[in-house]
Amino acid sequence: MADSDGRQVVSINHSTEEDVKLQEVVQAKCEGKELTKEEKQRLRKEKKQHKKNKKDDRGPPEKEKEKEKASVLAPSKPATQSPAHKAAPVPVNASASESPVAAEKPAKSKAEQRAERRARQDTERASKQGKKEGGQQSASSKPKATPNELQPVKRLPEHIQVDDPAALKKLAKKLERQQVPLRSDYGYKVSLFSHLHQYSRKNPPTQQISIPATVIHPSIVRLGLQYSQGIIAGSNARSVALLHAFKQVIQDYSTPPNEELSRDLVNKLSPYISFLSQCRPLSASMGNAIKYIKKEISNIPSQCKEEEAKRRLQECIDSYINEKIILASEAISKYAIEKISDGDVILVYGCSSLVNHILCEAFEKQRKFRVIVVDSRPRLEGREALRRLVKKGIRCTYVLISALSYILPEVSKVFLGAHALLANGYVMSRVGTSQIALVAKAYNVPVLVCCETYKFCERVQTDSFESNELDDPDDLIVTRNGKTHLENWQTVKSLGLLNLVYDVTPPDFVDLVITDLGMIPCTSVPVVLRVKNVDQ
Amino acid sequence: MLHQFWVDLLQDLPRFTETLVKMPGADKETDLSERIESFLSELKRCGSGAGSLRGSAETARETTALLRRITAQARWSNAGDLMEIIRKEGRRMTAAQPSETTVGNMVRRVLKIIREEYARSRGSTEEADQQESLHKLLTSGGSSEDNFRQHFAHLKANIIEAINELLTELEGTTDNISMQALEHIHSNEVIMTIGRSRTVEAFLKDAARKRKFHVMVAECAPFCQGHEMATSLSKEDIETTVIPDAAIFAVMSRVNKVIIGTQTVLANGGLRAVNGTHTLALAAKHHSTPLIVCAPMFKLSPQFPNEEDTFHKFVSPHEVLPFTEGEILSKVNAHCPLFDYVPPELITLFISNIGGNAPSYIYRLMSELYHPEDHEL
């Protein structure tokens, strides 16, 4: 095998990288879930590769194939580690062409194959620690982005790649495999936002699901419908509803015969999550909640009985809701009430459950203040906040956001809620929040953002275009004095309506962020994230 | 009793015959006062806030036409009398609708015209600087005591001619402004505007004849005049997008220029514009986007923005919180202001029918248009 030797010599330089990656792999395996998924991906690809090579040539000697396959496995491990999904198939295919594999594999059962492979990989990993080998594949593979020592580079989320037909096809295939209906875009999209989905509220994806739904749990279908119609709106409400629905799913779940609960339940949840994100793109808080659940599920020890496991999971979910949402809001209220003094005029925007809670608590603690509620078209969420505050008995004023410059000279503080806090200190919140912060800064009014820590996310964004949500454009149509100017906007070629849902506020407009961990400046968000990761 | 009746009649007879003799003149006068009354009532009506029933240009034209009629038909013997009459009518007109400043502006323009024509008829040299200066006080002495009492035969004709010139100028303002469009708008630009301004509409349509660009219109709640603007622009094949007011800052990073119209240009170079404009101006300043104001000269008003009680104008808050929200309506204060003040520091350029100017130059233009004694009618 002079060839492979030569290749081995050439590839010595790549080996140290490989070693690091292998160590990483071992580490990751101990942490549990991550590698399993990657493993599965890789194994699936290998199966494909097997089938392909069955067709290609049936002659080559098995021994060579075995050895080559062994070396194939090692480099394809780091290959799939960096989830640049487009690059990954290439080295595997390259290796496939170089080392056609034996055809006797598919005869055994899936589980046995997996067990076999796992055992083999363990031994190989142990032997490869010092060996300089396997670079022959990486020599032929495309250069990939080197994964960060601390964290792998994240996969680009699907919902911001709508303008890429390859990504759309991939999504369609994935949804087909999971038997989740694909939702089509609606209406003319403004070119600046061609990378985002734009759906119509009149066609929820639940219409395309057959009854009874076999693949998707009915409580998830109901939840999806509530999301897409806007019945459940607001970051906290959506997360809590999601967790309750998952509790129901776990309750009704039963492990199939040859599977482990920790792995199978996670697989069961994937189509549900795809379906929900088709109904409405997931929020950052929902994403964090899902990550938490998946981690909890995969940490269930395999010897745990099903009933016990389910009970444990239900408890986890309950404690998550209690700690991260309910108790957090209590803590935040306590901090925030210190900031409200008698005679204050407080400005709030839209309907944030947390800010409403703070104001009601402050009112109960006999603070004398009055509130100005600012609202904006087309959602007009401020009216809901107005109702809640008036019911409590708080004195309120109501204006639209265009009257902001008129009303701001009266205001002493601005309290804003947040949808997510990004790792570079930007606050992602309902569209219009950044405007309020901007004008408040111009009038020197302090801006306080209230946000629970479970909404902190690791994404970074500098403007409102990169990742956003486009709501139904028909919402902007209004009838005044019997005339509707935009009635036939679809027929006019050069007219577009833009209904953004979120925007990002730069950290220099925000004076203070009140979280359950205390009052921090906007720029301390990555510190909190790091602390959270270390805790977990 | 009958005897008393005849006595009264005989006493009233001279006055009665006087009115009979004065019939033709009286006819003109009542006709004139009728016109003034109808104009005043229209002014009072059209301040409902959903954009005036007619644009400021029309109001300016009608005001000037009415003033020309007053000049032609009212009885006056010298410039001083005429100025008194016009001042009186002007006060009534501005009182009818204080937020419609074009009316007052036109009155002041006509007063300035009268002063100029009078000065020209007297043969005195055109005073380049009308402001009081120490030198003028010492050298001219009595000429500032000029009270316009001299009678000149051709004064009336001259004044009417000058007012006609003013009317032609008014008719050409929109075209003059639109002609400058191609200097400022180039291809593939993203332009933002707010609400509906006929001047800006004409400006953009003129540029669209030769260049391709994209316009974002902020709809300007609660009246949503932006929708009308957007449909009208898109009919001319201009790529238009309607955005809600809340998204102004969110999309501002992609905007190359902000072009707006205004209701009034104030004496310090600031604006009194439709509500939401101040936010737009602040967002543009934050992103260093130029803010261009298309305003014809008749919108320039010698007011300053200090008068808190006359600056803002409010309309019924049911536009903001409709009566369908009945349960909370009684417990809530709702406001619906119409105008915003935009300070001159946020404005980059004024485009008017006489060309482009910086906001710091506005006070100079004002001194050319109006006489300082007319600032208070």
Side-chain angles (χ1 to χ4, degrees):
Chain A
M1 300 234 296
D3 255 6
S4 50
D5 282 335
R7 268 176 279 167
Q8 285 170 21
V9 167
V10 162
S11 58
I12 280 175
N13 301 326
H14 299 273
S15 58
T16 43
E17 211 180 32
E18 298 290 307
D19 287 346
V20 168
K21 287 181 195 160
L22 290 171
Q23 295 203 350
E24 242 183 287
V25 161
V26 174
Q27 206 179 6
K29 182 111 183 48
C30 305
E31 279 175 358
K33 202 198 74 70
E34 280 280 311
L35 184 56
T36 330
K37 213 168 148 188
E38 310 284 14
E39 255 193 86
K40 284 191 179 163
Q41 249 185 353
R42 180 177 60 250
L43 297 174
R44 243 179 269 135
K45 278 176 200 128
E46 276 168 21
K47 250 198 238 170
K48 255 193 260 173
Q49 175 193 325
H50 287 202
K51 288 190 187 149
K52 206 171 164 197
N53 298 321
K54 244 200 293 187
K55 284 187 239 160
D56 280 348
D57 56 7
R58 303 180 161 266
E62 284 189 6
K63 274 195 198 144
E64 284 189 357
K65 286 181 232 145
E66 290 283 331
K67 279 210 184 135
E68 295 275 307
K69 202 170 73 102
S71 49
V72 160
L73 283 173
S76 45
K77 249 181 279 164
T80 51
Q81 270 294 334
S82 56
H85 45 265
K86 288 188 187 128
V90 174
V92 180
N93 289 336
S95 56
S97 55
E98 283 185 47
S99 53
V101 189
E104 90 272 17
K105 281 292 164 182
K108 303 192 188 151
S109 80
K110 243 180 24 177
E112 286 172 344
Q113 277 179 3
R114 237 180 272 147
E116 239 181 51
R117 276 185 211 129
R118 241 172 259 140
R120 208 184 314 118
Q121 278 156 29
D122 284 335
T123 47
E124 273 160 12
R125 228 173 276 136
S127 62
K128 245 165 235 151
Q129 290 296 329
K131 263 209 246 164
K132 308 187 183 326
E133 181 206 74
Q136 71 221 56
Q137 305 311 331
S138 30
S140 57
S141 62
K142 260 179 17 186
K144 285 175 284 297
T146 325
N148 199 348
E149 291 269 8
L150 301 172
Q151 270 176 349
V153 171
K154 292 178 197 58
R155 192 200 327 255
L156 205 57
E158 180 282 322
H159 73 273
I160 59 171
Q161 288 191 74
V162 177
D163 54 347
D164 182 8
L168 283 180
K169 258 202 292 193
K170 217 168 174 302
L171 172 71
K173 267 203 233 154
K174 174 177 144 201
L175 289 181
E176 213 182 290
R177 198 182 53 226
Q178 293 175 333
Q179 294 174 283
V180 170
L182 175 68
R183 204 174 179 189
S184 52
D185 283 358
Y186 165 77
Y188 171 69
K189 242 191 284 186
V190 180
S191 57
L192 287 166
F193 290 96
S194 57
H195 62 293
L196 298 174
H197 284 295
Q198 179 171 281
Y199 299 130
S200 160
R201 196 160 299 132
K202 296 201 210 33
N203 304 333
T206 45
Q207 282 176 350
Q208 300 160 32
I209 293 187
S210 58
I211 295 172
T214 45
V215 178
I216 307 200
H217 193 277
S219 62
I220 300 280
V221 176
R222 183 179 67 178
L223 189 65
L225 186 61
Q226 284 170 329
Y227 283 169
S228 68
Q229 300 301 104
I231 298 171
I232 294 187
S235 190
N236 280 342
R238 283 165 73 189
S239 307
V240 171
L242 177 73
L243 289 169
H244 281 299
F246 276 175
K247 268 172 70 173
Q248 188 66 39
V249 166
I250 290 172
Q251 189 64 39
D252 297 339
Y253 170 77
S254 55
T255 326
N258 282 337
E259 304 284 340
E260 280 186 36
L261 181 138
S262 56
R263 288 202 187 88
D264 187 63
L265 186 53
V266 175
N267 290 343
K268 275 276 180 345
L269 289 182
S270 301
Y272 300 165
I273 295 167
S274 306
F275 172 70
L276 288 177
S277 61
Q278 282 292 300
C279 292
R280 193 172 161 193
L282 299 180
S283 66
S285 51
M286 285 163 73
N288 287 344
I290 290 172
K291 257 192 246 171
Y292 173 78
I293 288 188
K294 285 192 175 172
K295 195 170 75 74
E296 286 301 314
I297 294 176
S298 52
N299 278 346
I300 300 261
S302 44
Q303 62 267 27
C304 199
K305 279 205 285 281
E306 188 174 315
E307 286 310 314
E308 168 74 20
K310 281 205 228 177
R311 194 187 52 80
R312 205 184 283 198
L313 286 174
Q314 308 264 20
E315 267 174 26
C316 280
I317 292 182
D318 279 333
S319 76
Y320 187 83
I321 295 180
N322 201 30
E323 273 174 33
K324 305 278 184 183
I325 302 180
I326 299 177
L327 286 181
S329 80
E330 297 289 325
I332 293 177
S333 305
K334 249 207 336 232
Y335 288 125
I337 287 174
E338 293 168 26
K339 293 288 174 193
I340 299 179
S341 24
D342 282 347
D344 259 348
V345 180
I346 297 180
L347 187 131
V348 299
Y349 177 61
C351 185
S352 163
S353 53
L354 187 55
V355 174
N356 290 344
H357 183 250
I358 291 174
L359 293 176
C360 295
E361 289 277 305
F363 190 71
E364 270 169 32
K365 294 215 165 57
Q366 312 300 328
R367 292 275 202 277
K368 306 269 174 300
F369 58 93
R370 68 182 176 92
V371 175
I372 298 180
V373 179
V374 177
D375 202 8
S376 76
R377 280 197 73 236
R379 282 175 168 242
L380 293 173
E381 287 171 332
R383 292 197 186 159
E384 181 55 42
L386 195 64
R387 272 180 225 122
R388 292 186 199 170
L389 294 174
V390 168
K391 212 163 39 167
K392 268 288 183 172
I394 302 176
R395 261 196 312 149
C396 293
T397 307
Y398 179 80
V399 288
L400 287 182
I401 198 171
S402 40
L404 193 59
S405 302
Y406 164 71
I407 204 90
L408 213 58
E410 296 176 18
V411 174
S412 61
K413 290 191 182 71
V414 177
F415 273 80
L416 298 173
H419 168 90
L421 239 59
L422 305 176
N424 57 345
Y426 279 63
V427 179
M428 181 175 206
S429 183
R430 188 65 81 215
V431 67
T433 312
S434 54
Q435 222 163 290
I436 301 218
L438 169 79
V439 184
K441 187 93 185 167
Y443 282 89
N444 277 324
V445 175
V447 174
L448 293 88
V449 171
C450 308
C451 181
E452 300 97 334
T453 46
Y454 88 105
K455 289 182 186 162
F456 286 19
C457 82
E458 279 146 13
R459 222 172 53 213
V460 289
Q461 217 176 307
T462 51
D463 62 21
S464 319
F465 290 83
E466 293 157 19
S467 169
N468 208 326
E469 200 185 313
L470 294 178
D471 209 356
D472 193 348
D474 289 335
D475 286 346
L476 287 179
I477 301 178
V478 71
T479 306
R480 282 189 51 86
N481 299 335
K483 284 211 295 200
T484 318
H485 289 284
L486 294 180
E487 207 163 1
N488 303 318
W489 70 278
Q490 304 260 33
T491 56
V492 183
K493 193 171 59 89
S494 22
L495 185 59
L497 302 184
L498 184 62
N499 191 357
L500 280 179
V501 180
Y502 298 117
D503 72 6
V504 282
T505 309
D508 29 343
F509 290 161
V510 176
D511 292 306
L512 188 66
V513 178
I514 307 182
T515 67
D516 39 321
L517 294 178
M519 303 198 246
I520 59 173
C522 234
T523 43
S524 298
V525 169
V527 175
V528 171
L529 280 172
R530 193 196 179 92
V531 164
K532 261 197 342 170
N533 283 344
V534 166
D535 280 344
Q536 287 168 4
Chain B
M1 240 174 43
L2 200 56
H3 175 251
Q4 193 55 41
F5 165 68
W6 283 110
V7 164
D8 290 332
L9 184 62
L10 284 170
Q11 275 178 348
D12 292 330
L13 201 57
R15 228 178 305 140
F16 180 66
T17 46
E18 225 183 293
T19 56
L20 285 176
V21 165
K22 258 181 18 176
M23 233 6 152
D27 207 10
K28 254 204 272 179
E29 266 188 23
T30 47
D31 181 41
L32 181 62
S33 39
E34 259 174 41
R35 277 182 196 271
I36 297 177
E37 292 305 322
S38 70
F39 183 66
L40 285 176
S41 56
E42 266 212 59
L43 275 180
K44 279 203 192 104
R45 257 190 310 129
C46 83
S48 66
S52 28
L53 289 177
R54 47 184 180 192
S56 334
E58 274 180 59
T59 317
R61 266 198 293 274
E62 290 208 17
T63 315
T64 319
L66 189 61
L67 292 172
R68 182 179 58 184
R69 192 178 281 272
I70 293 177
T71 318
Q73 293 177 354
R75 306 177 86 215
W76 52 279
S77 56
N78 53 45
D81 284 345
L82 179 60
M83 280 166 58
E84 264 315 303
I85 295 175
I86 291 192
R87 243 194 277 266
K88 187 170 73 97
E89 295 304 327
R91 272 193 289 263
R92 283 177 67 201
M93 288 196 269
T94 43
Q97 189 63 255
S99 65
E100 192 62 60
T101 44
T102 41
V103 171
N105 296 345
M106 288 298 107
V107 170
R108 293 182 186 99
R109 288 289 285 271
V110 168
L111 287 173
K112 174 109 195 240
I113 287 176
I114 297 173
R115 282 174 203 268
E116 277 176 9
E117 290 301 323
Y118 182 79
R120 198 177 301 144
S121 304
R122 260 182 42 149
S124 56
T125 49
E126 287 288 330
E127 290 161 17
D129 187 359
Q130 301 233 351
Q131 314 292 41
E132 302 223 325
S133 74
L134 209 52
H135 182 250
K136 264 180 58 195
L137 275 176
L138 292 174
T139 54
S140 51
S143 66
S144 55
E145 286 302 306
D146 194 359
N147 47 6
F148 299 95
R149 289 291 152 205
Q150 263 186 294
H151 174 78
F152 292 105
H154 300 290
L155 190 60
K156 193 177 210 169
N158 289 347
I159 292 179
I160 293 185
E161 202 184 308
I163 297 184
N164 284 337
E165 273 174 32
L166 178 61
L167 271 171
T168 19
E169 184 197 314
L170 285 178
E171 269 159 41
T173 43
T174 317
D175 288 332
N176 280 337
I177 294 178
S178 319
M179 277 192 324
Q180 304 172 51
L182 281 173
E183 287 172 22
H184 298 281
I185 301 180
H186 54 83
S187 297
N188 286 333
E189 273 203 308
V190 178
I191 295 178
M192 182 178 276
T193 182
I194 187 170
R196 176 157 194 234
S197 162
R198 289 168 188 76
T199 317
V200 175
E201 213 180 302
F203 191 80
L204 293 175
K205 284 184 182 171
D206 197 275
R209 284 188 297 122
K210 299 255 174 61
R211 305 235 161 104
K212 276 249 152 283
F213 52 91
H214 191 133
V215 177
M216 298 205 147
V217 182
E219 65 179 8
C220 193
F223 301 107
C224 296
Q225 298 133 320
H227 293 187
E228 246 183 276
M229 175 88 156
T231 34
S232 140
L233 286 177
S234 55
K235 288 209 179 70
E236 304 285 325
D237 261 350
I238 303 178
E239 280 281 329
T240 322
T241 306
V242 177
I243 61 172
D245 294 331
I248 287 178
F249 185 74
V251 303
M252 183 56 82
S253 51
R254 292 293 182 281
V255 173
N256 299 119
K257 286 195 176 73
V258 179
I259 301 183
I260 55 175
T262 175
Q263 202 260 354
T264 311
V265 180
L266 300 166
N268 63 344
L271 298 181
R272 186 160 88 176
V274 75
N275 66 338
T277 314
H278 188 215
T279 313
L280 183 63
L282 283 171
K285 186 80 182 196
H286 181 262
H287 288 98
S288 299
T289 309
L291 179 69
I292 299 177
V293 180
C294 291
M297 270 294 112
F298 63 79
K299 286 193 179 167
L300 180 55
S301 159
Q303 277 177 305
F304 278 89
N306 318 341
E307 303 119 33
E308 278 306 317
D309 48 345
T310 51
F311 186 85
H312 281 291
K313 182 176 169 191
F314 298 88
V315 290
S316 163
H318 87 271
E319 308 279 354
V320 164
L321 196 59
F323 292 115
T324 46
E325 302 284 333
E327 315 101 48
I328 46 176
L329 256 186
S330 52
K331 308 192 185 96
V332 166
N333 295 332
H335 297 293
C336 189
L338 282 186
F339 299 123
D340 251 357
Y341 169 62
V342 182
E345 301 83 56
L346 300 176
I347 302 169
T348 318
L349 184 69
F350 278 98
I351 294 184
S352 66
N353 43 319
I354 55 177
N357 299 106
S360 46
Y361 191 66
I362 293 293
Y363 81 97
R364 217 47 206 135
L365 293 174
M366 215 176 56
S367 68
E368 283 171 30
L369 292 178
Y370 312 124
H371 192 272
E373 281 171 26
D374 295 332
H375 288 186
E376 285 295 318
L377 273 181

